[in-house]
Structures are given as structure tokens and as C-alpha cells.
Amino acid sequence: MKFISWNVNGLRACLKKGFLDFYRLQRPDFLCLQETKMERGQAELDLGGCLEFWNSADKKGYSGTAVFTPHAPLDTALGMDSDKHDHEGRLITLEYEGFYLVCCYTPNAQDGLKRLDYRLEWEDDLRAYLLSLDRTKPVIYCGDLNVAHQEIDLKNPKSNRGNPGFSDQERAKMTELLASGFADSFRVLYPNREGAYSWWSYRFHARQNNAGWRIDYFIVSDRLKDKIIRAEILSDVEGSDHCPVLLELDL
């Protein structure tokens, strides 16, 4: 099965930059989107009859997630059943016979780490949520997780230490998640690969210079590690300041 995750940074804008061509070329089993910035029906989407699952923020034009798939789930959930966390459209869970798929757009800690306390609460509650799912069946957790976990995951770790997405606290939460029974699929296959990034600032010609960050992930339950066939960063795909990431599993 082929899974793709992409922060499109506004789906309506991305539709004007080749989104449908990319979708038709790849034909994934699951396409998980973050930062859709829209509600269902606000743009015309020809997805060949795929099912569409949307979680839009209360605030118009902000955040939001979506999953497109031809595979009908056994059950669906929007958010994590928490009033504290469920107003920004950040989480979609689809249940299937052999796994849960969780599409996530993690809150940014923001400049000056002014939202760091909330971000850390989110991380703790999200980890508890994933572990509750994992007790039933394996989890495939993907999205823009807004953290570069290791120094190898961004171009300039020394100058960025302590910045949003590379604070010690955020990195420690990713370490804690992985230690609780999950694996970073890309690092399972490529533990030492450098220069592999999924987001680049629009400033300073960052993408041309590959001065980026790897903040988009597929995290899987440890018992799925031996099912990983491919884990790729599709860095040649434009249309957003993020590129898509791909996971193929033998399921």
C-alpha cells in the first residue's frame, strides 16, 4: 500500500500549481494533507471517485487536514475527543482491518516559543492517544509534525537550536514518542542520510540551496518496521513550501 503525506499550505493555491497532476501520477492508496486552509466544497476536486475525509478549523482559512482514499474505513474520528485540542482541524483517524491511519498537523510553537506550553500538552495527549490506538492494532501516523528531531534533520542545526521546531523540548517529545513503541520510517531505511529535507523557507533561496528541514514524517508502530518497502521524500515536487513524503508498506 502506498501512503503520501503533504502539507499543501493552502489546497486551493496548490490546485493551481499541479496538485491534481501529482495525484493522478502517483495514485496513492492514501493521500493525507495538512494545512488545507479550506472546507470541503470550497474547491472543485476531481479525484476519480475517491472518498474524502475533512477536518477543518473553526477559524476560516486556517490549519485543517484531509485524507483522500478509495478504501472505505471501518470507522473515522476527527480530533482526539478533547475540547482543548479539537477546534483547529488538526487530526483525522481512519480505522481499517489491520491498522489505524492518523493524519496530523502538529501545532507550531511559534516565534519566541510563545505557544510552546500548549505544544507540549498536545504532544503528551497525542502520544497517549496513539498508544491507546496501538493497543488495539498498529498505527501509521503521518503529517507535518513541526519538529526536526535530530541535527541531521536540518541544514543549520547550531544556529537554529532553540527556535520553533528545533527546541530541546520539542525534540525530546519526539524522542519520547519513538521510545514508546514507534519508529521513524525514513530513518529505519536511511539512518544516516543527510540533506534530506521536506520544508524550505520561502526566503533566501532556501529551496534552491537545499537549506531545509525534515519536519514531515511517517511514524509507524514498531511491529510494522519490517513491512516498510519504501520511504521517500519527494523533494522535486513543488506547489508548496513543503514537499510530499511517501511510505510504501507490505500490508
Side-chain angles (χ1 to χ4, degrees):
M1 277 191 161
K2 181 161 73 172
F3 301 78
I4 292 176
S5 177
W6 192 6
N7 179 323
V8 290
N9 193 12
L11 181 54
R12 284 172 288 185
C14 197
L15 281 165
K16 299 173 184 176
K17 302 174 184 176
F19 174 86
L20 289 176
D21 290 337
F22 168 78
Y23 179 80
R24 290 164 184 156
L25 177 66
Q26 290 287 340
R27 286 291 173 189
D29 291 282
F30 298 92
L31 178 59
C32 301
L33 304 182
Q34 303 86 43
E35 209 169 356
T36 54
K37 298 183 178 179
M38 62 173 284
E39 298 177 11
R40 183 173 187 172
Q42 287 188 303
E44 186 173 335
L45 287 170
D46 180 8
L47 300 171
C50 272
L51 300 168
E52 302 177 29
F53 301 92
W54 295 79
N55 191 6
S56 300
D58 294 352
K59 179 181 177 181
K60 303 297 184 184
Y62 175 73
S63 187
T65 47
V67 180
F68 304 146
T69 176
H71 305 290
L74 301 175
D75 199 6
T76 65
L78 304 182
M80 56 177 112
D81 196 23
S82 167
D83 187 64
K84 178 169 57 177
H85 297 308
D86 291 349
H87 293 281
E88 297 184 350
R90 293 186 178 275
L91 205 67
I92 297 174
T93 303
L94 303 183
E95 180 183 0
Y96 290 90
E97 189 71 32
F99 61 91
Y100 287 102
L101 175 64
V102 180
C103 171
C104 179
Y105 177 36
T106 299
N108 192 298
Q110 297 186 352
D111 289 344
L113 301 180
K114 62 186 179 184
R115 211 183 187 197
L116 180 62
D117 288 347
Y118 173 69
R119 165 66 180 267
L120 299 181
E121 287 183 39
W122 167 278
E123 294 286 358
D124 288 338
D125 293 344
L126 192 278
R127 185 177 64 258
Y129 175 72
L130 295 176
L131 286 169
S132 72
L133 298 179
D134 187 60
R135 285 192 286 271
T136 301
K137 61 185 75 173
V139 174
I140 301 160
Y141 166 51
C142 70
D144 174 3
L145 304 188
N146 258 318
V147 62
H149 182 216
Q150 305 172 43
E151 290 194 352
I152 197 175
D153 292 318
L154 72 167
K155 178 71 171 182
N156 298 303
K158 289 183 172 58
S159 60
N160 279 294
R161 185 174 179 186
N163 285 340
F166 200 60
S167 68
D168 292 348
Q169 298 96 318
E170 292 166 289
R171 296 171 64 197
K173 290 300 181 186
M174 175 62 85
T175 298
E176 195 172 348
L177 173 65
L178 297 178
S180 68
F182 296 93
D184 175 351
S185 62
F186 185 79
R187 290 296 176 211
V188 169
L189 297 188
Y190 309 109
N192 301 308
R193 180 172 291 183
E194 299 182 9
Y197 308 129
S198 64
W199 173 80
W200 303 262
S201 170
Y202 281 131
R203 299 189 299 168
F204 310 123
H205 304 289
R207 191 157 188 167
Q208 295 93 315
N209 298 325
N210 199 29
W213 299 47
R214 189 175 74 94
I215 60 175
D216 300 87
Y217 295 80
F218 275 97
I219 307 290
V220 299
S221 296
D222 276 344
R223 58 195 185 279
L224 291 180
K225 284 196 293 187
D226 63 352
K227 304 290 187 183
I228 298 171
I229 300 172
R230 297 166 63 203
E232 297 182 12
I233 299 173
L234 306 180
S235 56
D236 60 334
V237 177
E238 299 184 353
S240 169
D241 52 348
H242 295 249
C243 73
V245 293
L246 178 150
L247 175 68
E248 190 172 340
L249 293 172
D250 180 15
L251 293 175

